[in-house]
Amino acid sequence: MKKTALSLFMACAALSLSAQPQGGFGGFGGFQQQANLETSQQWKDVNYAGDDKAFHTCDIYLPKEEKASYPVVIHIYGSAWFSNSSKGAADLGTIVKTLLNAGYAVVCPNHRSSMDAKWPAQLHDIRAVVRFVRGEAAKYKFDTSFIATSGFSSGGHLASTTATTSGTKTETVGTITIDLEGSVGNYTSQPSTVNAACDWSGPIDLTAMDCGESMKMGDNSPEDVLLDSKLSKEPDKYLSLSATTYVDKNDPPVIIFHGEKDNVVPCCQGKKFYEVLKAAGVKTEATFVPEGGHGMGMYSEENLKKMVDFLNAAR
């Protein structure tokens, strides 16, 4: 049952939180302390789709040091795709704070949950955010010469898939043709390409979530709910959900962080992503933290610096 998958994820989130630093777990809003972000300007609940839906809103943060414009990172919360309203818990005290201090504007969006709509609606939402950044660049001081995606857990999946499908509007995956672009928002004439991505503990190959030791999700896994299917029944749907399916040499640079002791998304997910990217000739780096869990122990100063250095080099 869907409730089984959701309750298991919530239990796991609570366990992870108990050992988290501030801002460590990118899950539901109630699980994360509010960070004290130093900014020059902030906007909350900005609708990026031009509708009245809360799941199509984002928060925008500009660095404390005022400039004419700023490179942009879109950072996406983790929720196993179950939440449509957790932008206020998008790793604010760790990833977002570090990016702001490094001079990046940060956009934290909501997106439709697996209960609101099935895949690829979530990808359509994030690509709409990218187009919104370009369409509203003057108003929010966005430097659109550099736009990156970043995310934790399911947010890492969306950040990675946005990168590996960058510049591709449709793709045939086995027996299905998937619309990768969508038509969300008022800026459909703007490109949704990105220049880099940061994957923090994301599920990447949804056909192989049993590649390592991890928590069992019961009768329906989060990806089953997102696709309203089963891997044994419709494997092509799971391929269409997997960032690895779309990797080619033209992809933007991707940096990967994953904990060796992640009991929610097994570390072999990050390792496979790294190998597939390398084999395709995509610029990539990976850090696999020996004692790292699902968020827990992942946001060290060293890792956060690696993220910034990687993004700076990609500019």
Side-chain angles (χ1 to χ4, degrees), residues 10-20 215 263 296:
M10 294 287 282
C12 182
L15 287 172
S16 297
L17 177 72
S18 64
Q20 286 301 99
M215 190 176 200
N263 69 339
M296 181 178 64

Side-chain angles (χ1 to χ4, degrees), residues 110-146:
N110 284 334
H111 60 75
R112 282 172 286 177
S113 73
S114 56
M115 305 299 184
D116 298 311
K118 301 307 176 186
W119 178 258
Q122 296 70 28
L123 177 62
H124 293 172
D125 287 352
I126 301 306
R127 293 184 81 154
V129 177
V130 178
R131 297 193 299 265
F132 170 85
V133 166
R134 289 194 166 94
E136 296 282 356
K139 180 176 181 178
Y140 295 107
K141 299 184 180 180
F142 295 142
D143 175 1
T144 59
S145 68
F146 186 84

Side-chain angles (χ1 to χ4, degrees), residues 2 80-82 111-125 157-158 178-179 220-229 234 237 240-241:
K2 292 181 180 180
W81 309 286
F82 282 126
H111 60 75
R112 282 172 286 177
S113 73
S114 56
M115 305 299 184
D116 298 311
K118 301 307 176 186
W119 178 258
Q122 296 70 28
L123 177 62
H124 293 172
D125 287 352
H157 163 266
L158 291 173
I178 181 171
D179 173 11
N220 286 292
S221 68
E223 58 269 25
D224 292 344
V225 178
L226 183 62
L227 295 170
D228 191 24
S229 190
E234 296 181 289
K237 277 192 175 183
S240 79
L241 183 59

